[in-house]
């Protein structure tokens, strides 16, 4: 039965190719249930995770990605190599599109200069028409979050969640490259430690900070992660680079200060000094997309914060250490 069915399909497709010489590229013959799906990290609850994740059109859609700094310079830089990006395509001009099934979705891996290559040979193939595109990433080689009906699984702290959207993009050619400009959906805090009067800070042994209670979920249609209104019960270890500290967390809205605990060596003394201080939350909010940089002055008995501002996002290395622009 299967042999007869396959022969019939091939015969029909061959007839179509003879009758329609302009349609010589018929991808259905080569398609299998798993081809083109790449390495997907979504479930099957209405978010476009049908088996034909490639889209089964004939227009090859490629992508290249950059990350935008929302503050200060408003600059863009190519996304780092090996970063994974999950891309969705929905029919354009559709209300609440992300709650329906996507036309196509696939996981990509960034190469040099921000070029995205489909994971496991994935290719997005779309028909002519207008499409809404969405992309998410953790700004690492890690797996992007799972989405169901346009809502992500519960999110965690310590992750630089990225998001992008482009509505009503016209696909009308055999090969099109779509630019992706990702924005930060989490928030970030960093500290620059300065010496107070009569103090010389040699090094930071450790630093912990109270962080947003995890569990918020991203809306794929907007990229919004609702802010937590309370702290997690467990503080987080901050990344340390010399006398600079950094941590990326979920957005937060609270009038209660953060608790910073510093352990450091100072003034050539072998003993570790411990400081436990309250850090005020600027205007009661650590907003999505913002990186807050505090100047922390260490005195003999206390820590003060004479300056805080919103700055460019602090990129981090593979160990979580902040890499400040020189």
């Amino acid at each position: 039965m299967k042999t007869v069915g396959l022969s019939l399909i091939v015969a029909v497709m061959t007839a179509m190719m003879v009758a329609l010489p302009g349609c010589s590229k018929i991808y259905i013959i080569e398609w299998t249930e798993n081809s083109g799906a790449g390495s997907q990290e979504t479930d099957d609850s209405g978010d476009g995770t049908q088996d034909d994740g490639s889209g089964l059109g004939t227009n090859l859609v490629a992508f290249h990605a950059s990350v935008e700094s929302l503050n200060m310079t408003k600059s863009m830089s190519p996304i780092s190599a090996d970063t994974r990006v999950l891309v969705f395509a929905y029919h354009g001009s559709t209300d609440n599109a992300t709650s329906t099934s996507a036309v196509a979705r696939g996981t990509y891996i960034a190469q040099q200069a921000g070029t995205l290559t489909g994971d496991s040979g994935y290719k997005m193939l779309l028909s002519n028409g207008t499409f809404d595109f969405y992309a998410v990433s953790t700004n690492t080689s890690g797996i992007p979050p799972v989405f169901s009906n346009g809502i992500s699984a519960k999110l965690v702290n310590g992750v630089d969640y990225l998001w992008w959207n482009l509505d009503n993009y016209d696909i009308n050619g055999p090969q099109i490259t779509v630019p992706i400009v990702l924005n930060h959906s989490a928030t970030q805090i960093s500290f620059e430690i300065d010496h107070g009067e009569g103090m010389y800070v040699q090094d930071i042994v450790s630093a912990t900070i109270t962080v947003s209670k995890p569990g918020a979920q991203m809306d794929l249609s907007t990229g919004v992660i609702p802010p937590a209104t309370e702290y997690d019960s467990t503080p987080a270890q901050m990344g340390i680079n010399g006398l600079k500290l950094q941590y990326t967390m979920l957005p937060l809205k609270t009038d209660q200060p953060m608790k910073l605990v510093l352990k450091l060596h100072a003034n050539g003394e072998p003993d570790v000094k411990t400081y436990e201080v309250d850090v005020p939350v600027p205007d009661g909010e650590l907003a999505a997309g913002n990186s807050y940089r505090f100047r922390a002055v260490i005195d003999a008995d206390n820590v003060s914060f004479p300056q805080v501002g919103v700055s460019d996002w602090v990129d981090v290395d593979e160990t979580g250490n902040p890499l400040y622009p020189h």
Side-chain angles (χ1 to χ4, degrees), residues 37 79 83 89 109 120 133 166 234 238 250 271 292 302 310 324:
I79 198 167
T83 300
I109 299 175
S120 301
F133 292 98
L166 180 63
T234 303
M238 301 192 74
L250 298 172
D271 294 338
Y292 297 86
N302 71 298
V310 177
Y324 284 82

Side-chain angles (χ1 to χ4, degrees), residues 139-275:
N139 207 11
T140 67
S141 60
I143 297 170
V146 173
F147 282 82
S148 177
N149 296 318
I151 302 297
S152 75
K154 293 182 178 181
L155 305 179
V156 298
N157 289 303
V159 178
D160 184 9
Y161 294 105
L162 302 177
W163 174 88
W164 164 82
N165 162 240
L166 180 63
D167 287 334
N168 294 323
Y169 193 87
D170 191 21
I171 301 297
N172 59 4
Q175 187 164 342
I176 293 176
T177 299
V178 179
I180 292 176
V181 182
L182 293 154
N183 291 309
H184 301 281
S185 289
T187 191
Q188 190 179 67
I189 54 171
S190 60
F191 295 90
E192 293 186 347
I193 306 301
D194 205 352
H195 316 283
E197 185 176 354
M199 285 288 292
Y200 176 75
V201 180
Q202 297 161 243
D203 63 83
I204 306 295
V205 176
S206 68
T208 64
I209 191 77
T210 49
V211 295
S212 313
K213 186 175 181 179
Q217 297 171 281
M218 179 191 290
D219 186 334
L220 182 61
S221 66
T222 62
V224 171
I225 302 174
T229 56
E230 57 184 302
Y231 291 104
D232 191 17
S233 58
T234 303
Q237 292 283 343
M238 301 192 74
I240 302 172
N241 184 4
L243 298 183
K244 296 171 181 175
L245 314 172
Q246 175 273 336
Y247 191 77
T248 299
M249 69 173 76
L250 298 172
L252 175 68
K253 195 167 189 177
T254 180
D255 294 327
Q256 300 300 312
M258 297 176 287
K259 184 76 68 177
L260 174 67
V261 179
L262 287 173
K263 295 181 182 295
L264 53 87
H265 289 115
N267 294 343
E269 299 175 0
D271 294 338
V272 174
K273 294 180 66 68
T274 300
Y275 294 84

Side-chain angles (χ1 to χ4, degrees), residues 21-153:
C23 299
S24 59
K25 293 184 179 179
I26 301 180
Y27 294 93
I28 298 178
I29 293 176
E30 299 178 357
W31 182 80
T32 63
E33 184 177 7
N34 295 319
S35 68
S39 177
Q40 301 310 318
E41 305 302 337
T42 54
D43 67 17
D44 57 358
S45 303
D47 65 346
T49 54
Q50 66 271 37
D51 288 336
D52 57 346
S54 62
L56 296 182
T58 58
N59 298 319
L60 176 61
V61 182
F63 302 91
H64 65 80
S66 58
V67 180
E68 182 176 70
S69 175
L70 293 178
N71 304 297
M72 306 295 288
T73 61
K74 196 74 174 180
S75 61
M76 291 183 294
S77 58
I79 198 167
S80 299
D82 298 324
T83 300
R84 273 185 166 78
V85 181
L86 179 60
V87 182
F88 299 84
Y90 294 86
H91 285 299
S93 303
T94 302
D95 293 336
N96 301 317
T98 57
S99 65
T100 66
S101 293
V103 177
R105 81 284 178 267
T107 302
Y108 293 80
I109 299 175
Q111 310 299 317
Q112 296 297 325
T115 300
L116 297 183
T117 299
D119 191 10
S120 301
Y122 172 82
K123 295 185 187 326
M124 184 174 286
L125 300 168
L126 299 178
S127 61
N128 287 348
T130 58
F131 294 87
D132 294 345
F133 292 98
Y134 298 85
V136 291
S137 175
T138 60
N139 207 11
T140 67
S141 60
I143 297 170
V146 173
F147 282 82
S148 177
N149 296 318
I151 302 297
S152 75

